[in-house]
Amino acid sequence: MASYYAFKGQVDVYESLLKESQRLLSGHLSEEHAGVGETHDRVAVAEGTMTTLKEIAERFKVEVEERLKLEKELEAATERYVLLAGKVGFVIDEVEEAIAEPILGNSVEEVEELEERFKNVTENFKNLKEVMLELSRVGDFLTKHGRVERVEEERQATPPAVLLATVQKVEKRIEEHIAELERAREETRRKVRVREEFAEAARGLNAWVQQLSERSNLGGRRSSLQPQDVTKELEALRDEYEMGGRERGRMMVVEEASEAQEAAGVVANGFVTDTVYSLRKEYEELGKLIEARLNDSVTAQAMLMSQTAESDEQMKEVLRVFQVLTTAATVVGEGEREEGGREGGRAGARGEGGCLTQKAFKEGLQALGVVLEDSEADVQYKKVVGGRRGREGGREMGGGGGGMTLAEFSSFVTTALTAGSSREDILGAFKTIATSMGQGREGGKEGGQGGGGGGGRGGVISGEVLNLVFEAQGDCVAYMKEHMPETGVEKIKKRKGGKERGGEEADGEEGEEEEVEVPVYDYMSFVSYIFER
């Protein structure tokens, strides 16, 4: 505008000079100057020039005014663009921060809260639609008049083209992030579900393990049950335990829930402190507990059975010794009376009236392998016989009252022989069974006939003997065979129809024999397993 006023001043000066020239040449001059004619022509030319200058000055003024108006419009557009671009930039930054926020996915509620916050942010972005239209128009106006670079350099504003491209990119990222949040919500819902399923399976297993552990104590009834009854209940409990590790069993449900967690990318489960590893250990410990208690029961059952078999053999031997001692006394007494009664009192040294004297009692103990000092044997004899005499009112004779009866002798010997249940006792029990059922031998054959000993070597027992002795004890035979190493086979002779030839056969029992093979087991390894498990 200053250039216009400078030009306007020059035109005004020219106009003043022209007017002065016109006055000088208008006829007011003196007579002597009025004849200068060519001066009028020059003034006419000056007037034409002056008119042209005025027209130029007017056009210049209009152009300057229009330019001034455009400058004002561009300045206003620049201010508006900077304002709108700042508003759009703020919303874009807000959106990008929301997109950059990590999706932890610890709970569905957490993801839904993220979705709600992002929804509010995107609503602000959507509300920029009118702003973006205006920004586009203002940007086009500034671009048209070449002011974009000045806006970027002087006002540090993002150029329109860059800003529009950024907006389009953010719109696409918003769509992608919304889809990502939806996927995260569904994935989190799935993770929460598998976490809950694992926690439920873990709690179920814990309760089941606790229940079976308590049941393995048999509810305090253990002492009132027979060993075979305890074994049956514990075997049923073991079957139930093993079912827990099969398809749809308690442990399998935990394993499947753990696999589902792994497939879903679950690293930690906040619903339960247990892990699949701790639950596996808990399940295994339960199995060991049941197995240990079952082993104890089977051991007690085997001891009971062996003691029963041993008691039968012991009773036979006790009766034989008692009869020998008392019969010898009777024979000796009668023979001596026939010869004139020589030393008739010797009968008392053996036995009297079907009872044992003190001396015969000590001889009987030695014959049965009960080792006692003479003094201790005397004390025990007097204790037994004296106690009975005291109960009978001091009677010494009649009804065998003068010595130790068979019942008293048998009770004393049985008590002395059956005390204790050590490893050696159990080995001895198996040895007794193998021997008594194998025609008086252990682990071998005698006279070429098969028996229950097995294999021709010590420490083994025939499967046929196990079947015969323990067949009434439920799954006891199967359990022992499972834990007894099979060492080979032996041949035995059996009458057709299943009767084994061995021991004493029933009178009149006849029939054709056949030779069969039966497995032989190492009972020593079984006893070691029981004590070392």
Side-chain angles (χ1 to χ4, degrees), residues 217-275:
N217 286 323
L218 303 181
R221 299 179 294 113
R222 191 184 190 96
S223 60
S224 63
L225 296 175
Q226 292 296 322
Q228 59 268 28
D229 297 328
V230 173
T231 299
K232 287 180 181 179
E233 292 200 27
L234 288 174
E235 285 173 343
L237 200 64
R238 181 184 62 182
D239 292 341
E240 185 175 346
Y241 165 79
E242 291 176 349
M243 283 295 296
R246 298 172 187 160
E247 186 175 0
R248 302 315 302 164
R250 295 280 186 177
M251 192 61 218
M252 283 304 299
V253 171
V254 170
E255 293 287 356
E256 290 170 0
S258 176
E259 290 175 2
Q261 279 195 136
E262 186 176 351
V266 174
V267 177
N269 192 327
F271 295 113
V272 66
T273 57
D274 292 300
T275 66

Side-chain angles (χ1 to χ4, degrees), residues 352-353 355 385 388-389 392-403:
E352 51 184 29
C355 296
V385 176
R388 171 169 49 78
R389 289 174 178 174
E392 294 177 354
R395 289 178 289 123
E396 298 182 0
M397 299 299 292

Side-chain angles (χ1 to χ4, degrees), residues 68-84:
L68 182 60
K69 180 181 178 182
L70 178 60
E71 286 293 335
K72 290 180 179 180
E73 291 176 353
L74 289 170
E75 186 64 26
T78 299
E79 293 295 333
R80 185 62 176 170
Y81 180 85
V82 171
L83 177 64
L84 296 177

Side-chain angles (χ1 to χ4, degrees), residues 3-17:
S3 59
Y4 163 73
Y5 286 115
F7 182 74
K8 181 70 167 53
Q10 292 178 357
V11 171
D12 291 341
V13 171
Y14 293 152
E15 186 176 15
S16 298
L17 291 173

Side-chain angles (χ1 to χ4, degrees), residues 16-35:
S16 298
L17 291 173
L18 181 59
K19 286 180 178 179
E20 183 61 24
S21 298
Q22 287 176 339
R23 186 184 66 78
L24 292 173
L25 299 173
S26 63
H28 299 291
L29 300 173
S30 60
E31 288 284 334
E32 57 272 18
H33 293 92

